[in-house]
């Protein structure tokens, strides 16, 4: 049976061993580590490639013990060379980051508040990155005291798709839908945030309900003895936000040739849209 002191000693030794493993960082890599980072030859802004080096250097100095700094920096350089980074660019960026880290540490130790203009709050503008074109905007925005950032148009989701099962039409939610009459060209457009099948069953069974609530679909079925194509309901649009979904519904109501919808369904549609809709 261990005393409290012995238990504490065992716990402390366990923590020290785990801390030692954690602080080695690049020396101990996971088996799945591929060594692949953003390639220098890729179509990305130079600032993003510089940011890759900044992040790796920060991990070396903030997450590893000082005794491992030298070997970890060498490991970083090897990884960057394998990703086609030029050696002069690597050294220049590492030197720039080290100066920044030492400067911040010195200011923190001296408890000095820097009034450098670099720390001033400047507005940001984000633009798509186009090689040899986007870089020319940097000097323009620097003159007006605005910071510029870029995002890449060439993303992995264009090539790598998540293979998920296709949701059946009747199971979709947050949709604008269209129901067509089998016996004429009349159509009805509606929207729902629930499952489409639930809303369609309400339309279909409304004729059997003893209610005073009006339904243009039920009136059309009773007046003309027509039936609707309940199995082939079209999904015209998908929108999770109700306000946007209502606007989409009104636009599709206006686009119908023989609409069963009431005029009140589109009374909130701004007249500015009418000319555009009429030209579609």
């Amino acid at each position: 049976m261990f005393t409290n002191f012995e238990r504490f000693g065992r716990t402390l030794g366990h923590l020290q061993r785990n801390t030692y493993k954690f602080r080695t960082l690049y020396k101990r890599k996971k088996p799945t580590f591929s060594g692949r980072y953003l390639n220098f030859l890729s179509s990305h802004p130079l600032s993003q490639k510089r940011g890759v080096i900044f992040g790796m250097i920060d991990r070396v100095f903030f997450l590893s013990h000082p005794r491992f700094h030298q070997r970890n920096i060498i490991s970083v350089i090897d990884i960057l060379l394998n990703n086609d980074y030029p050696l002069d660019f690597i050294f220049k960026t590492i030197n720039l980051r080290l100066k920044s880290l030492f400067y911040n540490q010195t200011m923190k130790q001296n408890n000095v508040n820097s009034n450098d203009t670099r720390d001033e709050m400047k507005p940001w503008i984000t633009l798509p990155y186009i090689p040899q074109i986007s870089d020319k905007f940097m000097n323009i925005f620097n003159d007006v005291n605005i910071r510029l950032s870029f995002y890449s148009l060439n993303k992995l989701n264009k090539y790598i798709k998540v293979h998920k099962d296709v949701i059946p039409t009747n199971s979709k939610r947050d949709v604008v839908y269209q129901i067509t009459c089998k016996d004429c060209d009349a159509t009805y457009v509606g929207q729902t945030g629930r499952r489409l099948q639930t809303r369609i069953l309400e339309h279909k069974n409304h004729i059997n309900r003893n209610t005073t609530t009006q339904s243009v679909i039920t009136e059309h079925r009773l007046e003309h003895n027509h039936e609707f194509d309940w199995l082939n309901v079209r999904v015209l649009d998908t929108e999770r936000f109700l306000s946007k979904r209502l606007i989409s519904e009104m636009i599709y109501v206006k686009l119908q040739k023989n609409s069963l919808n009431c005029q009140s369904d589109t009374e909130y549609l701004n007249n500015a849209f009418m000319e555009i809709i009429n030209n579609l």
Side-chain angles (χ1 to χ4, degrees):
M1 188 171 182
F2 298 107
T3 63
N4 291 335
F5 181 79
E6 290 174 330
R7 289 176 180 172
F8 176 77
R10 285 173 172 265
T11 304
L12 181 61
H14 178 70
L15 291 175
Q16 288 176 339
R17 287 193 298 272
N18 286 344
T19 304
Y20 177 83
K21 292 179 181 179
F22 175 74
R23 286 179 173 176
T24 58
L25 190 61
Y26 287 103
K27 184 175 181 293
R28 298 175 182 267
K29 301 183 180 69
K30 292 182 178 180
T32 56
F33 178 73
S34 64
R36 298 185 65 179
Y37 284 81
L38 179 66
N39 195 281
F40 189 81
L41 302 179
S42 63
S43 180
H44 288 79
L46 195 64
S47 58
Q48 291 187 14
K49 298 165 186 174
R50 191 178 292 113
V52 171
I53 302 179
F54 285 173
M56 297 176 75
I57 294 300
D58 287 352
R59 292 178 64 191
V60 167
F61 280 89
F62 293 137
L63 299 181
S64 66
H65 193 273
R67 62 181 293 191
F68 297 111
H69 283 177
Q70 182 177 353
R71 69 178 68 178
N72 284 339
I73 290 178
I74 294 175
S75 178
V76 167
I77 294 173
D78 290 337
I79 293 173
L80 293 172
L81 289 174
N82 291 332
N83 286 274
D84 298 323
Y85 283 74
L87 194 59
D88 57 341
F89 179 78
I90 295 174
F91 286 144
K92 182 178 179 180
T93 307
I94 291 178
N95 187 41
L96 180 66
R97 191 56 177 174
L98 292 179
K99 287 182 179 179
S100 176
L101 293 175
F102 294 152
Y103 173 80
N104 293 335
Q105 185 65 23
T106 302
M107 298 297 290
K108 184 177 180 180
Q109 290 177 353
N110 296 334
N111 197 21
V112 177
N113 294 324
S114 175
N115 294 323
D116 197 338
T117 56
R118 293 177 301 175
D119 297 330
E120 293 180 359
M121 296 299 294
K122 297 180 181 179
W124 284 85
I125 293 181
T126 303
L127 298 176
Y129 180 74
I130 303 175
Q132 300 178 354
I133 296 178
S134 299
D135 295 330
K136 297 180 180 179
F137 287 91
M138 295 295 295
N139 294 331
I140 298 175
F141 283 94
N142 285 335
D143 294 338
V144 293
N145 204 28
I146 295 177
R147 292 183 177 181
L148 190 62
S149 63
F150 300 104
Y151 65 90
S152 177
L153 295 173
N154 202 17
K155 298 183 179 180
L156 284 177
N157 58 10
K158 293 173 59 178
Y159 310 101
I160 302 176
K161 302 296 182 181
V162 178
H163 297 285
K164 293 184 178 179
D165 294 336
V166 179
I167 300 177
T169 301
N170 288 338
S171 298
K172 292 183 178 179
R173 301 173 184 268
D174 303 324
V175 297
V176 177
Y177 59 90
Q178 182 187 63
I179 308 175
T180 306
C181 180
K182 286 184 177 181
D183 303 301
C184 66
D185 62 348
T187 56
Y188 174 83
V189 170
Q191 66 82 25
T192 181
R194 298 174 294 165
R195 289 182 61 192
L196 180 59
Q197 184 179 14
T198 303
R199 185 65 182 124
I200 297 304
L201 286 176
E202 290 178 350
H203 286 303
K204 185 177 181 180
N205 297 329
H206 184 273
I207 196 172
N208 300 323
R209 294 167 56 188
N210 185 15
T211 178
T212 58
T213 306
Q214 292 184 345
S215 170
V216 292
I217 293 179
T218 299
E219 292 177 1
H220 184 80
R221 295 171 69 187
L222 293 174
E223 183 178 352
H224 301 283
N225 196 25
H226 287 182
E227 190 55 87
F228 284 81
D229 192 358
W230 305 110
L231 298 179
N232 295 305
V233 178
R234 288 182 58 198
V235 173
L236 303 176
D237 190 16
T238 301
E239 175 55 58
R240 58 178 297 193
F241 296 104
L242 176 60
S243 58
K244 295 182 180 180
R245 196 164 64 244
L246 290 173
I247 294 175
S248 178
E249 178 192 22
M250 289 186 286
I251 292 174
Y252 278 107
V253 168
K254 286 294 185 181
L255 289 174
Q256 294 183 101
K257 294 181 179 179
N258 185 10
S259 175
L260 295 177
N261 292 81
C262 301
Q263 292 297 322
S264 59
D265 292 342
T266 59
E267 62 182 357
Y268 295 108
L269 185 64
N270 195 296
N271 292 328
F273 292 101
M274 297 309 302
E275 184 177 354
I276 300 175
I277 294 174
N278 293 332
N279 292 330
L280 294 176

